[in-house]
Amino acid sequence: ARAGRGWCQGLDIPNELFLTLGLVSLVENLLVVATILKNRNLHSPTYYFICCLAASDMLVSVSNLVVRLFMLLMEHGVLVIRASVIHHMDNVINMLICSSVVSSLSFLGVITVDRYITIFYALRYHSIMTQQRAMVTMASVWLASTVPSTIFITYYHNNAILLCLIGVFLFVLVLMLVLYIHMFALARHHLCSISSQQKQPTVYCGSSLKGAVTLTILLGVFFICWGPFFFHLILIVTCPTN
């Protein structure tokens, strides 16, 4: 029994660490948004989607900063807040976090589809992904992210809601995996054709290796960044009492 309780002990991470990470993330995403908005050469659907992705991640950073700052002030006795106010603030913060998580995952999927269209429909890209369609896509993602977050906060005890969030993560992961592998396969086919004509297999192998490494890093970083959060949700569903 003692051993079981030992395994269940929580890991105490200082609020100062979360505060520092939140500040770093906020500054990084602010720089991305500022760069895209300031540089007119980046005013295209692709960079608009990247800007929205940075804004989504920025919401997570802001939410994290607010929570950790209040916790630090309360721990040191600088700030005293009533329990009812804390409860309402907690709901608002959770809604922001949930909305930013869904929108961030959605924009990652949108960027993947956009890259797919760029490669496979290069000549028709500007007619397919117009400025108007890009704006509609961005507005739809933000709207679709806000509604689930409200439902999640209201029914967060329901496992079906958690399973929906897990489903969104798995869907985006599979979408990225399938589309990027397809794009990599096309690039590999083109390199194979070029190398066979020029008789330079070394260049072909080196480019294929670089492409495979890039693809692995891209999908690996995505899984490393989002995996722990959704693994935690899976544990909540499968092991609710522990």
Side-chain angles (χ1 to χ4, degrees):
R2 289 181 180 178
R5 284 195 296 270
W7 282 105
C8 299
Q9 290 178 357
L11 179 63
D12 186 20
I13 300 176
N15 287 319
E16 290 82 0
L17 177 60
F18 279 110
L19 196 64
T20 304
L21 291 174
L23 282 170
V24 172
S25 177
L26 178 62
V27 171
E28 288 177 344
N29 288 295
L30 275 174
L31 288 174
V32 172
V33 173
T35 301
I36 294 174
L37 294 179
K38 189 176 181 179
N39 193 338
R40 292 184 178 180
N41 294 327
L42 302 181
H43 290 183
S44 63
T46 298
Y47 289 102
Y48 288 153
F49 297 145
I50 295 175
C51 184
C52 287
L53 175 62
S56 300
D57 294 336
M58 201 159 52
L59 280 177
V60 179
S61 303
V62 171
S63 303
N64 177 50
L65 284 172
V66 172
V67 170
R68 300 302 164 181
L69 187 59
F70 272 96
M71 291 179 68
L72 281 172
L73 292 175
M74 292 172 66
E75 284 179 4
H76 292 84
V78 179
L79 189 64
V80 179
I81 307 177
R82 290 183 300 175
S84 58
V85 176
I86 293 177
H87 177 71
H88 290 302
M89 287 179 58
D90 189 49
N91 285 338
V92 172
I93 295 298
N94 286 337
M95 188 175 71
L96 282 174
I97 292 175
C98 182
S99 177
S100 58
V101 166
V102 175
S103 62
S104 182
L105 289 172
S106 299
F107 280 116
L108 280 170
V110 169
I111 291 171
T112 303
V113 174
D114 178 74
R115 293 295 83 206
Y116 185 85
I117 296 173
T118 303
I119 291 178
F120 285 90
Y121 304 95
L123 298 178
R124 296 172 52 200
Y125 174 78
H126 293 291
S127 61
I128 296 174
M129 190 57 68
T130 61
Q131 294 281 353
Q132 183 179 1
R133 286 178 180 173
M135 295 298 176
V136 170
T137 301
M138 290 185 289
S140 301
V141 170
W142 284 115
L143 181 62
S145 303
T146 305
V147 175
S149 63
T150 306
I151 298 174
F152 175 74
I153 298 305
T154 307
Y155 302 100
Y156 68 94
H157 288 299
N158 193 331
N159 284 345
I161 301 299
L162 298 180
L163 289 173
C164 287
L165 283 176
I166 296 169
V168 171
F169 168 72
L170 293 176
F171 172 77
V172 174
L173 179 63
V174 172
L175 177 69
M176 291 178 64
L177 186 65
V178 171
L179 294 187
Y180 277 120
I181 287 178
H182 194 191
M183 286 185 275
F184 172 70
L186 177 66
R188 186 172 179 272
H189 175 72
H190 285 324
L191 284 172
C192 183
S193 301
I194 294 172
S195 63
S196 63
Q197 293 174 2
Q198 298 180 351
K199 298 180 180 180
Q200 293 179 335
T202 305
V203 176
Y204 160 69
C205 292
S207 301
S208 296
L209 182 60
K210 288 180 180 178
V213 170
T214 302
L215 180 63
T216 303
I217 292 174
L218 178 68
L219 295 175
V221 168
F222 171 79
F223 187 77
I224 290 171
C225 289
W226 284 111
F229 175 75
F230 286 94
F231 180 67
H232 178 68
L233 292 185
I234 292 173
L235 289 179
I236 291 175
V237 175
T238 56
C239 307
T241 58
N242 188 0

